[in-house]
Amino acid sequence: MSDTGSTFSAIVQQLLAGNVICEASNEHLFRYLQDDQNLADIRQYLHRVNRSVRETTDGKAYLCCYSDPNETEAKQAIREQFRLLAGDLESLVKWLRLVMSCTSAGRPIVSGDILQEAELISAIASSPVQAADLDELCKAGLFKSAASDGKGKIRQITEKLRQDGYLIPRGKSGASFLATGKWSWLYDTMEFIQMHEALDEDEAGKSDQMGLI
């Protein structure tokens, strides 16, 4: 198989597996999709199975969506993903606020950002307010933790975010991470929820914003 054919196949497999393709996670596949003709070819291929490719609003990631979100299987899958995210959203927002208060970036995490566990642990250790916020975050929900100290709690949170595709390890230390384009997907989805919070799930399922694998 040629390099182009291998890249095409890898992208299709990544998309159908529900993975987000971004510069942080795979620069080669991301650059391939930035070519208009390559993107059109991928879309044409996926259309056979009621799938397509969507670029996030900030242009930092590509992901799979349904060509026809009104098809029965698509509506069911979209509603299920909406339900699962809704259960995690509060924890993710609290985490983003905590990170913003602990780092100098002054903005939410974006794809390509470097997250250092040591920086977070040091900031939390020196601030009773941030330590209390971390304790509250780890009491229940997505980041529920039985760890007794800040280091243990931060380590469990970053591991969960790695498992869910929001972070990838950077280097061999296991204490430094690169943010992926899944944050871009999250912000698009949060914006959709904010704009359409009065809609029922059937209506929500019709939106391209929620029409993900």
Side-chain angles (χ1 to χ4, degrees):
M1 183 182 293
S2 67
D3 287 344
T4 300
S6 177
T7 299
F8 187 98
S9 177
I11 288 173
V12 169
Q13 291 179 50
Q14 288 288 316
L15 292 171
L16 290 178
N19 296 324
V20 172
I21 296 175
C22 63
E23 188 171 11
S25 62
N26 194 311
E27 183 178 0
H28 176 63
L29 301 188
F30 179 74
R31 296 300 178 197
Y32 184 92
L33 284 170
Q34 288 191 306
D35 181 278
D36 290 342
Q37 185 57 57
N38 291 340
L39 183 59
D41 290 344
I42 293 284
R43 283 177 170 155
Q44 183 178 25
Y45 181 86
L46 290 174
H47 185 70
R48 303 174 189 175
V49 290
N50 189 27
R51 302 294 192 277
S52 188
V53 186
R54 184 173 72 79
E55 186 178 10
T56 55
T57 301
D58 61 8
K60 291 182 177 292
Y62 296 91
L63 55 153
C64 201
C65 62
Y66 284 94
S67 300
D68 180 10
N70 292 312
E71 190 267 337
T72 301
E73 178 189 353
K75 289 173 69 174
Q76 292 174 345
I78 292 166
R79 283 197 297 268
E80 176 63 13
Q81 181 149 16
F82 185 91
R83 184 187 67 79
L84 291 172
L85 178 62
D88 294 339
L89 201 52
E90 183 178 358
S91 294
L92 287 165
V93 170
K94 286 181 177 179
W95 166 249
L96 286 167
R97 288 172 178 166
L98 180 60
V99 171
M100 286 178 65
S101 71
C102 291
T103 63
S104 58
R107 56 163 173 73
I109 299 170
V110 298
S111 179
D113 279 354
I114 297 172
L115 204 65
Q116 303 278 6
E117 283 188 355
E119 181 182 4
L120 297 174
I121 293 167
S122 176
I124 289 168
S126 61
S127 170
V129 172
Q130 291 170 348
D133 288 343
L134 178 63
D135 288 342
E136 184 65 26
L137 176 61
C138 294
K139 283 182 179 179
L142 182 64
F143 301 126
K144 184 176 181 180
S145 171
S148 59
D149 61 353
K151 181 177 181 180
K153 290 172 182 175
I154 291 294
R155 178 58 55 89
Q156 288 190 359
I157 290 172
T158 54
E159 175 58 19
K160 177 60 178 173
L161 291 171
R162 185 197 65 76
Q163 292 173 1
D164 289 352
Y166 289 97
L167 299 176
I168 56 176
R170 178 175 175 266
K172 299 180 180 180
S173 68
S176 179
F177 298 88
L178 202 60
T180 73
K182 192 162 183 180
W183 293 106
S184 302
W185 165 82
L186 177 66
Y187 300 145
D188 279 359
T189 307
M190 289 170 63
E191 183 177 0
F192 167 82
I193 292 171
Q194 185 176 22
M195 292 174 62
H196 301 84
E197 53 188 4
L199 295 180
D200 62 24
E201 288 187 344
D202 284 339
E203 288 299 314
K206 296 177 183 178
S207 169
D208 286 341
Q209 296 286 356
M210 290 302 298
L212 313 180
I213 272 292

